[in-house]
C-alpha cells in the first residue's frame, strides 16, 4: 500500500485517511489478505489474538467488502390451523414495509366496517322496536323486554367483536427488514444471551379470553436472522454456553433456524415458527486461552470451511511501519472528532511509546486500543490548553 504521508509533513492534518476500513487495519497484512479472500468466498473466520489488536475492526472491514447478495425482508404471519406455529414468508428487500402497510390498511378497514355494523344493527333494533310500540302493535311490557334484550345483544356483540378481532388478527409482523441497505449487514453479537442470539418469543400473561397478543406478533428475531446475507461477529466466543455454540453451529449448517421461546416457564415456549433464513458468515474471535472453550465441532466447522487467523502482537520497527502508526494516529483523531491534530513531534512520541510497550527489541506494539486511549487522552489535554496541535509534552502528561 502506498504511503499516506507526504514528504516533510508537519501534522496529521496532512495524513490521508482511507474511507475503507480494510485499509485502516495496521500491522496485520497477512490477516487482511486472508480476510479479503474470505469475503469473496464468504468463508467463516476465527480470529485469535489478545484484546485490542484489531479483531473487531477486521470483522467490520469484512462486512464492507463482502459481495452483496440479494437481501430479503422476512415476514411472520399467523397460522389459522395452529396459532403456535406462525408461518414465515421471505420477500424482496423493501417489500416488507409495503406489505405490512397494505395489511394494516385492510385490517383497519375491516375493523371500521365491523364497528359500523355493530352500531347500525342495535340502532335498527331499537328504532324498529320503537315504531312497533308507537303503533300499539305490542304492549309496554313486551317493548321494555325488547329494549332490555337489545341492550344485552349490543353488549354481547361489542364484546364478541373485540374478542373475534383479536383471535382472527391477521396483520403480519416485519421480522427482519433490509430496505435501503447498500452494504452487507454487520451484527455484533458479542455477549449476547441465547434469546438475543437465536431469537425468542415474548411471554404473554393474557393467554385466554381473546385478550392476549397473537403468537406471531410476539416473535422476536435473533441476531443470526438479522445477520442473514452479512456478517455475524461474536467476540469472546468462549463466553457463549456450550448449548448456544451448538445451536449456532446448527444455524450455520442449515442456514435457517426456527424461533421458539427460550424460557420453559414462558408462554412463548409453546410457540415454534417455521424455519427462518439465517445465511450469515460467522466471524468469531477470542484469545489463545479461549480455544480450549470453543466447542470442537464449531471450531472444526470454521477451520474446515474457512480460516483461522492469528493476530500479530507487534511489527518490526522500520520506517514503513512508523508511517503506519502515524496513519493510525490520524485515524483515531478522525474517529474521535473532538481532539486537535497531532504535530509530527507528538506522533514521534506515540511511536516511542509503541516501541516501549512492545517489550521486544526493534518492535512496535500492535495493541492499538490502549495506544488509541493515549491518543485521546493527550488530545483532551491539548484541547484544555487551547493548543492548535497536540504536542509531545501533552503525550508525556497524558502518560502520567
Amino acid at each position: 500500500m502506498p504511503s499516506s504521508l507526504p514528504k516533510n509533513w508537519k501534522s496529521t492534518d496532512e495524513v490521508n485517511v482511507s474511507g475503507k476500513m480494510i485499509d485502516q487495519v495496521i500491522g496485520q497484512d497477512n490477516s487482511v489478505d486472508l480476510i479479503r479472500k474470505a469475503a469473496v468466498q464468504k468463508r467463516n473466520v476465527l480470529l485469535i489474538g489478545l484484546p485490542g489488536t484489531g479483531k473487531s475492526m477486521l470483522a467490520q472491514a469484512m462486512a464492507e467488502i463482502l459481495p452483496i447478495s440479494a437481501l430479503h425482508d422476512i415476514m411472520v404471519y399467523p397460522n389459522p390451523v395452529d396459532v403456535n406455529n406462525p408461518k414465515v414468508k421471505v420477500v424482496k428487500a423493501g417489500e416488507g414495509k409495503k406489505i405490512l402497510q397494505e395489511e394494516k390498511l385492510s385490517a383497519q378497514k375491516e375493523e371500521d366496517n365491523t364497528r359500523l355494523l355493530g352500531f347500525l344493527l342495535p340502532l335498527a333494533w331499537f328504532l324498529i322496536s320503537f315504531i312497533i310500540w308507537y303503533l300499539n302493535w305490542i304492549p309496554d311490557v313486551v317493548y321494555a323486554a325488547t329494549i332490555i334484550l337489545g341492550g344485552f345483544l349490543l353488549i354481547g356483540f361489542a364484546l364478541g367483536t373485540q374478542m373475534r378481532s383479536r383471535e382472527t388478527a391477521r396483520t403480519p409482523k416485519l421480522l427482519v427488514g433490509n430496505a435501503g441497505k447498500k452494504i452487507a449487514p454487520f451484527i455484533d453479537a458479542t455477549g449476547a444471551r441465547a434469546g438475543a442470539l437465536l431469537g425468542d418469543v415474548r411471554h404473554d400473561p393474557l393467554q385466554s379470553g381473546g385478550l392476549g397478543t397473537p403468537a406471531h406478533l410476539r416473535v422476536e428475531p435473533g441476531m443470526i436472522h438479522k445477520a442473514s446475507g452479512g456478517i455475524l461477529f461474536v467476540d469472546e466466543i468462549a463466553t457463549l454456553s456450550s448449548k448456544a455454540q451448538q445451536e449456532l453451529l446448527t444455524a450455520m449448517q442449515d442456514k435457517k433456524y426456527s424461533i421458539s421461546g427460550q424460557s420453559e416457564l414462558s408462554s412463548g415456549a409453546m410457540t415454534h415458527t417455521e424455519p427462518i433464513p439465517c445465511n450469515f458468515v460467522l466471524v468469531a474471535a477470542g484469545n489463545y486461552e479461549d480455544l480450549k472453550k470453543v466447542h470442537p465441532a464449531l471450531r472444526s466447522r470454521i477451520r474446515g470451511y474457512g480460516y483461522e487467523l492469528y493476530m500479530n502482537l507487534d511489527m518490526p520497527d522500520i520506517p514503513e511501519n512508523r508511517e503506519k502508526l502515524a496513519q493510525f494516529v490520524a485515524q483515531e483523531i478522525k474517529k474521535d472528532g473532538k481532539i486537535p491534530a497531532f504535530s509530527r513531534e507528538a506522533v514521534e512520541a506515540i511511536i516511542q511509546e509503541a516501541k516501549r510497550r512492545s517489550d521486544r527489541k526493534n518492535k512496535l506494539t500492535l495493541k492499538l486500543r490502549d495506544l488509541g486511549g493515549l491518543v485521546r487522552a493527550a488530545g483532551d489535554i491539548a484541547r484544555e490548553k487551547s493548543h492548535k496541535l497536540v504536542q509531545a509534552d501533552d503525550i508525556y502528561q497524558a502518560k502520567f
Side-chain angles (χ1 to χ4, degrees):
M1 183 176 66
S3 173
S4 60
L5 279 71
K7 291 183 178 180
N8 302 320
W9 62 279
K10 295 182 179 179
S11 77
T12 54
D13 279 335
E14 303 172 50
V15 179
N16 179 43
V17 177
S18 174
K20 296 181 179 180
M21 191 167 289
I22 194 71
D23 295 330
Q24 296 180 16
V25 179
I26 306 297
Q28 306 290 350
D29 295 345
N30 182 59
S31 294
V32 167
D33 289 341
L34 290 177
I35 281 291
R36 291 184 186 275
K37 294 178 183 178
V40 171
Q41 298 296 336
K42 294 190 175 181
R43 306 292 191 193
N44 300 312
V45 176
L46 176 59
L47 299 171
I48 304 167
L50 295 179
T53 52
K55 298 188 294 294
S56 60
M57 193 173 184
L58 271 177
Q60 293 180 58
M62 185 174 175
E64 285 187 357
I65 62 177
L66 193 74
I68 300 180
S69 55
L71 297 178
H72 298 92
D73 291 345
I74 301 174
M75 312 286 294
V76 59
Y77 286 80
N79 186 342
V81 178
D82 183 357
V83 296
N84 286 317
N85 185 217
K87 291 184 171 295
V88 173
K89 184 177 181 181
V90 179
V91 299
K92 291 182 180 179
E95 291 294 319
K97 286 186 177 180
K98 297 178 182 178
I99 293 173
L100 186 60
Q101 186 176 12
E102 291 173 358
E103 291 285 356
K104 283 184 176 180
L105 288 174
S106 176
Q108 184 64 47
K109 184 177 180 180
E110 183 177 324
E111 185 177 349
D112 290 343
N113 290 337
T114 302
R115 288 178 178 176
L116 180 61
L117 184 64
F119 173 75
L120 292 178
L121 285 179
L123 180 62
W125 175 277
F126 290 124
L127 183 59
I128 293 172
S129 299
F130 175 77
I131 292 173
I132 294 175
W133 171 78
Y134 184 78
L135 295 175
N136 293 322
W137 290 355
I138 56 175
D140 293 348
V141 175
V142 176
Y143 174 66
T146 303
I147 295 300
I148 293 173
L149 177 60
F152 280 116
L153 290 176
L154 176 61
I155 295 173
F157 185 84
L159 291 177
T161 300
Q162 181 181 9
M163 293 172 63
R164 183 168 62 253
S165 64
R166 288 183 177 273
E167 290 173 353
T168 60
R170 57 182 176 80
T171 304
K173 178 177 181 178
L174 178 59
L175 203 63
V176 178
N178 285 308
K181 289 188 177 178
K182 302 300 182 182
I183 63 173
F186 175 81
I187 303 297
D188 189 347
T190 302
R193 295 182 179 273
L197 179 66
L198 306 172
D200 204 351
V201 181
R202 287 182 284 113
H203 176 65
D204 183 11
L206 302 174
Q207 303 173 49
S208 60
L211 299 177
T213 303
H216 73 287
L217 296 180
R218 292 186 281 115
V219 176
E220 299 295 338
M223 292 179 173
I224 61 173
H225 305 107
K226 295 177 183 178
S228 188
I231 300 292
L232 178 72
F233 176 59
V234 185
D235 200 359
E236 306 297 339
I237 182 67
T239 61
L240 283 180
S241 66
S242 179
K243 181 181 178 183
Q245 291 188 44
Q246 289 177 346
E247 297 297 326
L248 183 60
L249 175 60
T250 299
M252 287 173 55
Q253 292 174 329
D254 297 343
K255 301 186 186 306
K256 53 187 179 180
Y257 191 88
S258 298
I259 297 177
S260 60
Q262 295 293 328
S263 173
E264 295 181 357
L265 302 178
S266 169
S267 62
M270 298 185 297
T271 301
H272 190 81
T273 70
E274 292 181 340
I276 299 173
C278 57
N279 186 16
F280 58 85
V281 174
L282 175 67
V283 179
N287 56 45
Y288 307 101
E289 292 297 320
D290 287 343
L291 295 179
K292 302 174 183 177
K293 301 176 184 178
V294 176
H295 195 284
L298 179 60
R299 186 181 180 188
S300 175
R301 177 77 182 184
I302 296 174
R303 297 178 69 178
Y305 295 89
Y307 297 95
E308 192 170 278
L309 308 181
Y310 287 80
M311 306 295 290
N312 295 330
L313 297 178
D314 50 38
M315 59 184 177
D317 183 6
I318 57 178
E320 180 183 353
N321 288 337
R322 288 185 168 223
E323 287 188 0
K324 289 180 180 180
L325 279 180
Q327 174 191 333
F328 164 75
V329 173
Q331 290 171 184
E332 292 298 297
I333 295 169
K334 184 176 180 180
K335 288 178 186 177
D336 187 82
K338 295 177 288 187
I339 57 177
F342 275 46
S343 67
R344 185 163 185 164
E345 291 74 18
V347 173
E348 290 291 342
I350 290 291
I351 292 173
Q352 291 302 315
E353 184 64 19
K355 185 174 182 179
R356 185 185 70 82
R357 294 188 181 192
S358 70
D359 291 328
R360 295 181 65 191
K361 187 176 181 180
N362 298 324
K363 296 289 183 179
L364 298 170
T365 185
L366 285 174
K367 296 179 183 178
L368 300 180
R369 184 178 299 159
D370 295 340
L371 211 58
L374 178 60
V375 169
R376 282 180 285 277
D380 289 344
I381 291 173
R383 187 178 181 87
E384 186 179 8
K385 295 179 178 178
S386 299
H387 290 173
K388 292 183 179 180
L389 295 176
V390 177
Q391 303 297 328
D393 287 344
D394 299 324
I395 306 296
Y396 302 136
Q397 186 175 344
K399 289 170 54 178
F400 306 103

